[in-house]
Amino acid sequence: MIDPYAYPPRAFDLAAAARYLSLDPVAFSALVEDGKLPRPRRLGEAVVWDRMALDTAFEAAPVEQKPVPQAHQRPGPKDAGKRRAPPLMSKEWPGYHNVYTPETLADRWRCSGNHIRNMIERGDLAGFQYGGKLLRISAAVVAAYETKNTVK
């Protein structure tokens, strides 16, 4: 028999409690240890967090006073001066620095290497395997993608 009422969960495990507050489990656990989030309860063998206690802690958290960055802007890293320069194009040595790794392209586009890998997996960006394992993206493919996806 199906219950006709929809009940929100009252208790969450660690992963669900972190997801409920849009945090990763490591950050969530650190906030619990710092006393900024409630400690869990034990129900039998299960360790769970009370949804209402999480709501109370969330309401008690300070409101951010700084301007919130726009969705299309990403804050730069703390050590922007130490950032690697993107690979240079070399006409003298064809094939040298004419490819990107997911990490170097991620530095160029200010995103994560996993995002680049996901773009390749979805087919949004063409990549190839170098030596059977190493994922690379041709500079020509990057230039074409940037030209196609740049707003004028």
Side-chain angles (χ1 to χ4, degrees):
M1 198 154 177
I2 297 174
D3 188 350
Y5 300 104
Y7 301 102
R10 176 65 192 265
F12 297 115
D13 64 1
L14 174 64
R19 191 171 49 250
Y20 182 68
L21 293 179
S22 298
L23 298 170
D24 64 271
V26 174
F28 181 87
S29 296
L31 290 171
V32 170
E33 290 302 315
D34 290 344
K36 295 178 181 171
L37 289 177
R39 301 211 45 91
R41 295 174 182 248
R42 182 169 295 279
L43 297 176
E45 294 297 316
V47 175
V48 294
W49 277 264
D50 179 22
R51 177 177 47 89
M52 292 179 185
L54 291 174
D55 287 340
T56 302
F58 180 79
E59 290 295 325
V63 176
E64 180 66 36
Q65 298 299 320
K66 297 177 186 174
V68 178
Q70 298 297 319
H72 65 278
Q73 297 175 342
R74 297 195 75 206
K78 292 178 184 175
D79 56 345
K82 296 180 182 178
R83 173 174 275 183
R84 289 189 312 247
L88 302 172
M89 301 300 168
S90 172
K91 293 179 181 169
E92 297 85 11
W93 303 94
Y96 182 73
H97 290 307
N98 287 331
V99 295
Y100 292 87
T101 66
E103 286 70 30
T104 57
L105 185 55
D107 282 347
R108 178 183 175 104
W109 287 354
R110 292 187 177 182
C111 62
S112 72
N114 284 336
H115 179 69
I116 300 297
R117 288 182 188 85
N118 289 338
M119 289 177 69
I120 293 169
E121 189 173 303
R122 285 191 311 260
D124 297 342
L125 187 66
F128 62 93
Q129 299 236 334
Y130 178 73
K133 275 188 162 182
L134 304 173
L135 189 58
R136 298 293 183 257
I137 305 99
S138 164
V141 169
V142 171
Y145 186 88
E146 288 176 342
T147 302
K148 178 180 160 190
N149 292 298
T150 302
V151 179
K152 294 181 181 178

